[in-house]
Amino acid sequence: MNYWLMKSEPDVYSIADLKRDRTSLWDGVRNYQARNYLREMSHGDLAFFYHSNTRFPGIVGLMRIVETGINDPTQFDLHSEYYDAKSTLDAPRWQTVIVEFIEAFPSLISLDLLKQTFSADRLLLVKKGNRLSVMPISEDVAKKMLAMREYQHDKIE
């Protein structure tokens, strides 16, 4: 099993939305490196749900990859902000996955705490200038983050 971190802005799609929906297509990723990470995912991998572009960014929950190798339908939708005119049904550029809700953490694991806990070579998220929306997490870092969810005190807004 592999571990991942996947970002979403909470006003676009939040952990509460995933909890309500139970599963979701993780669409709209338009960065080639992030897309390549999506292509590497396997059924059963775990992903940390990260709220980005918010007053208090951080990890808010956990989800499981339940389906892989899906062509992102937004690339073909003329009305989508993620439409890609260079992508065709015969040669799609963007693939994605379906995720399943596992849990919402009782409190936020804040970006500030992640920066205090992990170096940039251990956690890509804290590397200055990193803006990837999907990234791998090593098993040792993942286990430490899973333990951190138990003792955080900042409630998720």
Side-chain angles (χ1 to χ4, degrees):
M1 175 175 49
N2 295 307
Y3 297 90
W4 306 92
L5 184 138
M6 299 168 74
K7 295 179 184 177
S8 181
E9 297 176 13
D11 61 336
V12 174
Y13 197 78
S14 70
I15 190 71
D17 295 324
L18 181 58
K19 183 176 182 179
R20 176 197 65 222
D21 298 342
R22 304 308 297 169
T23 62
S24 180
L25 182 72
W26 201 266
D27 60 2
V29 173
R30 292 299 180 270
N31 172 284
Y32 286 106
Q33 184 60 59
R35 184 229 26 215
N36 292 343
Y37 288 141
L38 287 166
R39 287 178 172 176
E40 291 178 26
M41 291 179 179
S42 298
H43 181 273
D45 285 355
L46 295 180
F48 292 91
F49 196 124
Y50 182 92
H51 279 176
S52 63
N53 199 23
T54 184
R55 185 172 172 203
F56 300 106
I59 298 171
V60 295
L62 193 64
M63 51 195 175
R64 177 179 294 113
I65 310 305
V66 294
E67 194 171 335
T68 61
I70 300 166
N71 288 330
D72 185 336
T74 61
Q75 67 190 311
F76 308 118
D77 182 353
L78 290 168
H79 303 291
S80 172
E81 67 181 294
Y82 302 111
Y83 173 71
D84 185 341
K86 294 181 180 178
S87 193
T88 66
L89 290 173
D90 292 333
R93 296 172 131 193
W94 305 104
Q95 287 75 39
T96 193
V97 298
I98 294 177
V99 296
E100 171 186 57
F101 175 82
I102 294 179
E103 71 175 295
F105 292 171
S107 54
L108 174 79
I109 303 174
S110 71
L111 177 58
D112 287 340
L113 181 60
L114 292 167
K115 286 178 178 179
Q116 293 168 21
T117 307
F118 301 105
S119 66
D121 19 325
R122 290 195 66 215
L123 180 59
L124 187 59
L125 175 72
V126 302
K127 184 177 181 181
K128 192 164 182 75
N130 176 53
R131 301 203 24 92
L132 282 177
S133 62
V134 177
M135 63 195 73
I137 303 292
S138 68
E139 184 175 3
D140 64 316
V141 169
K143 288 183 176 184
K144 182 150 185 145
M145 290 191 308
L146 287 169
M148 291 168 74
R149 79 181 187 261
E150 301 301 325
Y151 64 84
Q152 295 310 296
H153 301 290
D154 299 329
K155 294 296 179 201
I156 297 172
E157 294 181 1

